[in-house]
Amino acid sequence: ERHALYDSMAETLAHLHAIDPHALGLADFGRPGNYFERQLARWSKQWNDSAIKEIPVLDSLIDELTRRLPADDGLVSIVHGDYRIDNVIWAAEDDDVIAVLDWEMATLGDPISDLAIALVYWSQASDTLRGQIPVAEHITEAPGFWRRDEFIDRYSAKTGFSLDHLDTCVALACFKLAVIMESIH
């Protein structure tokens, strides 16, 4: 059952990213261009506004992300902004995703950022650093859950999108999660 759940989750994300926002009248759902620059600026501002203590490694991460931000390649889709296991609902009878919840961060942007968010919440028994993050620990380590690479492969096979900038997207997603956690704190 867990295999079928993750297959459906990957299929749903690929389907979302295949939707033409213009055809649905969503051309103005987000600002065009410079998606990664906008995201880094937004979350950096949020960090500056909400930090209660200095964390130099986050400032270093902002600098590194600034140097490594992917160029805008024109790939634009509807981006959920928080696509992860606890934001989907599956049908009880056939393991298909029947709803995606929590759309307040949705916009138009680079679809690989959604894949990266899903991966940030993913844990595997072999993880070292991930195991130290007190968010959704060990959920995906149970027998039958896919490994990250299986989810990436399924998504990639369905979309055909280049994943050349996935590592940078994952780093940006980690930064976003750190800022959210500090804001909650």
Side-chain angles (χ1 to χ4, degrees):
E1 287 178 340
R2 289 176 179 156
H3 178 86
L5 293 174
Y6 270 102
D7 187 49
S8 179
M9 191 173 166
E11 291 263 346
T12 299
L13 186 61
H15 178 72
L16 172 66
H17 294 158
I19 295 170
D20 178 0
H22 299 283
L24 295 179
L26 296 174
D28 60 352
F29 187 56
R31 289 181 276 169
N34 303 317
Y35 174 75
F36 292 111
E37 290 174 20
R38 289 193 328 267
Q39 286 292 299
L40 184 57
R42 174 181 186 211
W43 292 104
S44 294
K45 181 182 182 319
Q46 183 70 23
W47 168 247
N48 290 328
D49 290 348
S50 63
I52 58 172
K53 62 184 175 196
E54 288 191 31
I55 303 177
V57 71
L58 281 181
D59 294 328
S60 297
L61 179 57
I62 292 169
D63 293 342
E64 190 64 26
L65 284 169
T66 299
R67 285 191 289 278
R68 294 179 183 239
L69 283 183
D72 186 0
D73 64 1
L75 182 61
V76 175
S77 72
I78 298 169
V79 173
H80 180 270
D82 198 17
Y83 192 79
R84 54 193 168 123
I85 190 171
D86 56 334
N87 278 338
V88 296
I89 297 176
W90 288 277
E93 62 279 352
D94 62 10
D95 303 321
D96 286 338
V97 172
I98 58 171
V100 179
L101 309 174
D102 200 13
W103 287 86
E104 73 267 5
M105 288 194 271
T107 188
L108 297 181
D110 190 297
I112 305 307
S113 63
D114 268 345
L115 176 61
I117 286 288
L119 297 175
V120 166
Y121 288 93
W122 214 291
S123 60
Q124 296 176 182
S126 60
D127 289 344
T128 53
L129 292 175
R130 174 60 180 96
Q132 298 174 32
I133 301 171
V135 175
E137 305 107 314
H138 314 295
I139 292 172
T140 55
E141 293 175 24
F145 277 109
W146 282 4
R147 295 181 320 271
R148 283 183 201 96
D149 62 328
E150 292 174 298
F151 191 74
I152 292 166
D153 290 347
R154 182 68 170 142
Y155 174 83
S156 178
K158 293 301 291 181
T159 64
F161 295 153
S162 169
L163 301 179
D164 291 345
H165 59 297
L166 179 59
D167 287 344
T168 302
C169 289
V170 169
L172 182 59
C174 287
F175 174 62
K176 179 178 171 179
L177 178 58
V179 172
I180 291 169
M181 291 175 65
E182 184 68 9
S183 295
I184 291 169
H185 177 73

